[in-house]
Amino acid sequence: MITREKTDILELFQDAKSSNSFLRVAAPMVRYSKLEFRSLMRRHNVQLCFTPMITADCFANSPSARFSEFSTNSEDTPLIAQFAANKTSDLLNATEIIAPYVDGVDINCGCPQSWAIAKGYGCGLLRNPELMSDMVKTLRRNFSNKLSISVKIRLLHSENFSSTVELSRQMEACGVSFLTLHGRTPYSKTADPVIHQGIKVVKDSLRVPLIANGNIKSIEDALEMHSITNCDGVMAASGLLTNPSLFDEDNDGITSFKCIQDWANIAASAGEILHFQTFHLI
């Protein structure tokens, strides 16, 4: 892998805002957000990509885990690595390894899966804001502002948003570059509606940029999310798996033929070093 100049993530937000628009963001998607799929999405108006969630202790301690979980190239920017961690030391060690190859590091405090919560990852961290604060402060203390530090969270409650505002402001005070907020609680089901008002309340309380996430299935959904919440970025996950050309302005709701052709070309050019190991239906 080749180290490269950092892309300034905050400048991306500023550029989008100056155009009265929002940053188009691809979520960290387990097994899918690999190099080749990121390359595809970048060709179709995704402006910021995340890696899949990577377990920090395994990444820090195992060369085979690093080989399996992360690959990049000189064109793979802007890119943020997302880590699952329950110890500050593991997060710091993993970040020290990956920092030369990415533009930012994100702490996953939003994964609702039971295994993650049981290990103190994902939503399990929402019960431990002191540890969240220590992680953010430690990374900010050890790395320059050229490396963005961010946290992804969920709404703590579905009706009263004051505790989510308090947590978000705490992360801001600790030095995050931006926050991502999924508009459901840790206990919500995938079919439950996204609580746009909660996202708006949190957005209005912050000085740092906020990326809104949840149920983005089309460009119309993204435009609506931005219109209601005034968020600085919109993150899509399953919508991009169904339609990697989702963020194209002229997209008609289905994967474009050009997107399919681009995917075939990317896979062919990767040859025997294809990192994307899950067959993807587009």
Side-chain angles (χ1 to χ4, degrees), residues 117-243:
I117 294 174
K119 289 181 176 290
Y121 300 143
C123 288
L125 281 170
L126 296 176
R127 303 170 180 169
N128 195 347
E130 293 81 9
L131 178 55
M132 292 172 62
S133 296
D134 185 58
M135 288 179 173
V136 173
K137 289 179 179 178
T138 297
L139 293 189
R140 181 50 68 213
R141 187 169 59 248
N142 283 275
F143 296 93
S144 75
N145 289 331
K146 290 184 178 181
L147 186 77
S148 80
I149 308 299
S150 57
V151 177
K152 185 179 182 185
I153 64 173
R154 284 181 170 242
L155 292 171
L156 299 181
H157 300 285
S158 59
E159 295 180 357
N160 186 333
F161 310 122
S162 59
S163 58
T164 311
V165 168
E166 181 180 352
L167 177 63
S168 299
R169 285 177 170 171
Q170 183 176 344
M171 294 299 101
E172 182 179 65
C174 290
V176 293
S177 307
F178 67 90
L179 284 168
T180 300
L181 176 60
H182 186 106
R184 297 185 179 96
T185 73
Y187 311 103
S188 299
K189 300 184 183 303
T190 304
D192 289 344
V194 170
I195 307 169
H196 292 89
Q197 183 60 25
I199 298 175
K200 176 174 171 48
V201 169
V202 174
K203 162 60 187 172
D204 290 345
S205 74
L206 294 174
R207 295 186 300 273
V208 297
L210 181 74
I211 296 175
N213 176 222
N215 204 38
I216 304 300
K217 306 295 185 184
S218 65
I219 186 63
E220 289 77 19
D221 290 339
L223 293 168
E224 180 184 36
M225 177 70 84
H226 177 247
S227 175
I228 294 173
T229 68
N230 194 34
C231 59
D232 302 280
V234 175
M235 174 183 284
S238 59
L240 283 168
L241 292 180
T242 302
N243 177 11

Side-chain angles (χ1 to χ4, degrees), residues 32-154:
Y32 289 98
S33 299
K34 300 287 188 173
L35 174 60
E36 289 80 17
F37 194 52
R38 295 196 300 265
S39 299
L40 176 68
M41 293 186 293
R42 293 186 195 283
R43 297 188 186 189
H44 293 274
N45 214 24
V46 165
Q47 298 165 306
L48 175 62
C49 287
F50 283 66
T51 68
M53 182 180 74
I54 302 169
T55 305
D57 59 345
C58 293
F59 189 86
N61 298 319
S62 170
S64 61
R66 293 195 287 274
F67 178 81
S68 172
E69 295 295 329
F70 181 70
S71 58
T72 188
N73 60 30
S74 60
E75 298 177 353
D76 188 27
T77 183
L79 177 64
I80 293 178
Q82 188 186 75
F83 284 117
N86 54 20
K87 293 180 181 179
T88 300
S89 58
D90 290 335
L91 178 64
L92 177 60
N93 291 338
T95 301
E96 287 175 339
I97 294 170
I98 209 168
Y101 311 105
V102 298
D103 305 296
V105 167
D106 186 75
I107 307 166
N108 187 314
C109 303
C111 178
Q113 296 184 54
S114 57
W115 73 266
I117 294 174
K119 289 181 176 290
Y121 300 143
C123 288
L125 281 170
L126 296 176
R127 303 170 180 169
N128 195 347
E130 293 81 9
L131 178 55
M132 292 172 62
S133 296
D134 185 58
M135 288 179 173
V136 173
K137 289 179 179 178
T138 297
L139 293 189
R140 181 50 68 213
R141 187 169 59 248
N142 283 275
F143 296 93
S144 75
N145 289 331
K146 290 184 178 181
L147 186 77
S148 80
I149 308 299
S150 57
V151 177
K152 185 179 182 185
I153 64 173
R154 284 181 170 242

